[in-house]
Amino acid sequence: MIEIIDAVEAKRRGIFNRSAEVDLDITARVADIIADVRSRGDIAVAEYTMLYDKCGYDGKPVSEQEIADAYARCDKGMIDILREAHANIAAFHARQLGGGFEMRGEDGIVLGQKVTPLARVGIYVPGGTASYPSTVLMNATPAKIAGVGEIIMVTPAGRIKDEILIAADIAGVDKIYKVGGAQAIAALAYGTESIAAVDKITGPGNIYVATAKRLVFGQTDIDMIAGPSEVLIIADSSADPDCVAADMLSQAEHDRLASAVLVTDSSELARDVATALDRRLSALDRADIASVSIENNGKIIMCSSIDEAIDIANSIAPEHLELCTRDPFGDLDKVRNAGSIFLGGNTPEPVGDYFAGPNHTLPTGGSARFSSPLSAEDFVKRSSYIYYTDKALAKAKDKIIAFASSEGLTAHAESVAARFKK
């Protein structure tokens, strides 16, 4: 049964403080794989693919025929759902993009900002039991909306789930390669004979994938280092305890490290949710995973008011925050730290996972204090530009020279002064 504790005890135990530990053995192993792929290219990729996935790697992207076959096999209703979800995601992300601007000042000065889509991005899509077409839509769609020139997708070797291929086609992925793990991240970052190097890598993966993304950052950009999934639900006595329990389990079933926390000011709700969790767990398909998650990481935290609950949520900065309260829009203004916020009893977290439109690639582990969900803006870069006329530079030269000289950078000062010594 899930533990019910008060806010003071939760704080004493450090439940609000989470930090991801770096496994040095895994880091060393992944660093070796990256160096090997960087050195030997496709040969190394093929060897690691055979070693870890027991499949060959021929360097060829998925063919149009494979995608056509996936469409032929897949349930037509599911294809329609993927298309509708894609339309919702595209509509939301299209609103995120801001354009460049230009300012004109005295004496002919021109200052501006130029927005340029990334030339090429790579999307990592997990395989096996974590093979989710929603991952494809949430990563490829904003890249396409942003105007990225080429979208490359990698996913572990073997037969790719039909819905994955269809989602990639719907979202506009250009090439798909059957390769996963740290070797796929290395190939995307440095390029091989078959896979072109990319400007950014997005998408979730296991600890080896996450470590590889961390290690190649700088050579290429990445979206984030994703930790275990998490949901924090703030609920008052108006909430349905069975629905709250169902929402907690929707995160707990992700993996054993997932975190599902309820914060409430109602002792009756707390008891009813605990009872509902036990009842629902026994009938869950992934009960073995969810039960470990609830036992180790699940909590029901009692507090004195919803305002205190929101303070707790702001301290935890959860990936997903549900506001199952009487006035969710009023409470929304008090939320400072959360990846995505779900308002009211009719908006469970899976609405955002699959269908509504906002991105489900969210900051975890408390990083919502300073970072944001994946967006179309993550797939563009901004360059500033400056133009000064001779008259404008003459007016500013003494100030620029004085500024540079104050920092001891005389060559900087001279580069301005040189224009007036002719």
Side-chain angles (χ1 to χ4, degrees), residues 83-112:
R83 285 179 173 144
E84 188 173 355
H86 170 258
N88 292 343
I89 296 164
F92 183 85
H93 288 78
R95 299 289 298 272
Q96 295 176 329
L97 286 173
F101 61 85
E102 191 168 272
M103 303 163 52
R104 292 183 177 267
E106 294 181 357
D107 303 317
I109 293 174
V110 180
L111 308 175

Side-chain angles (χ1 to χ4, degrees), residues 270-317:
R271 290 192 300 270
D272 290 346
V273 169
T275 301
L277 280 170
D278 286 346
R279 184 181 66 253
R280 283 186 164 274
L281 260 175
S282 63
L284 205 62
D285 288 344
R286 293 165 67 93
D288 56 333
I289 294 172
S291 60
V292 174
S293 168
I294 291 296
E295 179 70 24
N296 293 341
N297 308 307
K299 293 287 183 293
I300 296 176
I301 299 174
M302 292 298 308
C303 58
S304 60
S305 66
I306 294 301
D307 282 347
E308 184 185 7
I310 294 172
D311 288 342
I312 290 171
N314 284 330
S315 297
I316 294 177

